Amino acid sequence: MNNKSDGLLFHKPKSPLAICAGASQIAFRHLTCRRRSGMEIDMIISSIDETNKPVFEKLMPEEQYLLLNRPSVFALGAIWEDEGGKSAAGTLVFSVEEGSSDDEEMVAARILWLYIAPEYRGQRVADQLMDAFFGVMDESGIEYALCDIPMPEEYNLLCAYLEAWGFHFGMINRYDLTVELGELSKKKEFQKKQAVALHSLQEVPQPAFGRFVKSVLELPGVWQDLPYSLKEYECSVSCVYMDGKNIEGALLVQYAGNGVLDVVLLRTLINRPALMAGLICYALRAAEKKYAPDTQVRIVCRSEAAVSLLGGLFPDAEPLLVRRGCYYSGEDEMENRDGEEKL
């Protein structure tokens, strides 16, 4: 593979799907490109890693900054350099994830955050970052890009900007709920006696758990940063259903640094509706023994099934209507991207 002098590259996988088979295998080549603006000022576009991450912290909210610790989340940074020294001018944060479209498996780069410091706007900093982002996609064999943008008018300019790069927008519903543990426990759906025998994650052998994670990562809508190691989970709350030595379903929870219980997986490999309800009941009873009722529990939908589940549990909850931008790097889009001038 030939390196591009103006790009930042992934190690190119044998297949695009290999990207999400093991997120830890993705790494930027630590390249830096300099571009001379009309004002004779250097712009450095570089990947953001542990060596330079603190420089860009002020340009992103805390939740985005913490995402940089995940193996499938990456970031590009723009450094403005003049006689006064170097300063952070902008950031672009994105994840790489697996999904499906019309029954076709796909790997997509999802833009999570694009921000330019006010004093550097109008200097084509965003163009530099987007150009590097597309360079990553091209060299990694990723053909799809996504970006969810909120509905308020203040985001219209961002939407128009991405449309100039070839994104096409439509409306979707999305759930991202954080509720108190006590509120979940009071749901009548979770007051029933368990109809299946379940096990705490504390009782599960690591080899069996590793096999389950490998299997579940092949399913659509699964968080691709799902760790293989039991040590990464709140094992006293997480639970599984086992058929012999094999795990057939699991509810996996992580304890976030901000004190939130983060439900990272609720999935079964067999068609037993009572099993999913049983997993939730087990986890709730275990959590009640260890955590206060006002402990926050975060649930994010990652598939259409998750949207249906959350809609049923929280009928009064308003799904967040967002504009979803989709990009495909077909020939027509490539020609549009290369021939159209940006702001």
Side-chain angles (χ1 to χ4, degrees):
M1 177 180 66
N2 295 325
N3 294 342
K4 289 185 177 181
S5 60
D6 60 349
L8 294 134
L9 318 178
F10 288 122
H11 295 301
K12 189 173 182 179
K14 295 180 181 178
S15 159
L17 288 179
I19 292 174
C20 289
S24 61
Q25 297 176 5
I26 306 174
F28 279 117
R29 297 175 185 267
H30 294 282
L31 303 180
T32 298
C33 60
R34 290 173 178 263
R35 303 172 187 209
R36 185 73 65 175
S37 74
M39 299 176 62
E40 299 297 321
I41 296 176
D42 279 330
M43 178 70 65
I44 303 172
I45 305 296
S46 176
S47 59
I48 298 177
D49 55 26
E50 291 299 323
T51 64
N52 61 4
K53 189 168 66 172
V55 176
F56 297 94
E57 183 175 5
K58 65 179 181 180
L59 298 185
M60 59 185 81
E62 182 181 5
E63 59 268 25
Q64 296 294 338
Y65 189 74
L66 292 175
L67 284 178
L68 300 184
N69 296 321
R70 296 182 175 179
S72 66
V73 176
F74 305 90
L76 300 168
I79 295 289
W80 190 273
E81 185 176 19
D82 56 21
E83 295 179 355
K86 299 179 181 180
S87 55
T91 60
L92 189 155
V93 181
F94 66 98
S95 64
V96 178
E97 54 195 64
E98 184 181 15
S100 62
S101 177
D102 297 327
D103 297 326
E104 178 186 357
E105 290 185 329
M106 55 179 273
V107 172
R110 182 186 297 273
I111 296 177
L112 304 174
W113 180 255
L114 175 60
Y115 180 80
I116 309 302
E119 60 269 33
Y120 299 112
R121 293 173 186 172
Q123 305 295 327
R124 301 180 67 90
V125 178
D127 288 354
Q128 307 274 13
L129 291 169
M130 289 294 295
D131 189 51
F133 169 72
F134 280 116
V136 170
M137 287 184 58
D138 293 344
E139 295 299 333
S140 302
I142 302 174
E143 296 183 326
Y144 298 92
L146 302 171
C147 184
D148 290 347
I149 297 180
M151 291 300 297
E153 292 183 0
E154 61 189 282
Y155 295 99
N156 286 353
L157 185 60
L158 175 59
C159 188
Y161 178 74
L162 291 178
E163 285 178 334
W165 282 93
F167 281 78
H168 301 281
F169 284 87
M171 306 300 178
I172 65 162
N173 286 333
R174 175 177 150 189
Y175 282 96
D176 186 342
L177 297 178
T178 301
V179 298
E180 291 188 350
L181 175 61
E183 180 182 350
L184 274 176
S185 299
K186 292 177 183 178
K187 294 285 182 181
K188 63 180 182 179
E189 294 87 349
F190 305 142
Q191 299 297 325
K192 301 176 182 179
K193 187 176 180 180
Q194 291 173 214
V196 291
L198 303 175
H199 300 272
S200 167
L201 198 59
Q202 295 171 318
E203 306 170 22
V204 176
Q206 178 63 59
F209 184 71
R211 291 194 301 269
F212 171 74
V213 172
K214 184 177 180 180
S215 297
V216 83
L217 284 175
E218 297 176 358
L219 302 176
V222 174
W223 179 44
Q224 291 299 312
D225 285 347
L226 202 64
Y228 279 82
S229 174
L230 290 167
K231 297 179 181 179
E232 299 293 326
Y233 299 95
E234 171 51 290
C235 291
S236 64
V237 175
S238 302
C239 57
V240 302
Y241 170 74
M242 299 189 72
D243 182 6
K245 295 182 179 181
N246 296 319
I247 300 173
E248 299 290 348
L251 188 154
L252 302 178
V253 178
Q254 289 184 324
Y255 183 74
N258 56 358
V260 174
L261 291 174
D262 194 357
V263 179
V264 296
L265 181 75
L266 174 57
R267 185 62 67 102
T268 63
L269 301 180
I270 55 178
N271 186 19
R272 290 185 60 180
L275 176 56
M276 185 168 290
L279 289 166
I280 297 174
C281 291
Y282 186 105
L284 283 174
R285 302 294 85 79
E288 288 174 327
K289 296 177 182 178
K290 186 173 181 178
Y291 295 97
D294 60 353
T295 300
Q296 300 295 302
V297 180
R298 182 170 181 249
I299 310 169
V300 181
C301 70
R302 296 186 174 91
S303 67
E304 293 301 322
V307 170
S308 299
L309 175 63
L310 291 179
L313 290 174
F314 302 96
D316 296 331
E318 290 286 341
L320 177 64
L321 183 64
V322 299
R323 295 175 274 193
R324 168 156 294 177
C326 300
Y327 169 89
Y328 171 64
S329 60
E331 291 184 3
D332 293 342
E333 295 293 352
M334 293 294 290
E335 292 174 2
N336 177 68
R337 192 179 77 195
D338 292 338
E340 187 169 352
E341 184 176 355
K342 317 299 183 304
L343 296 177

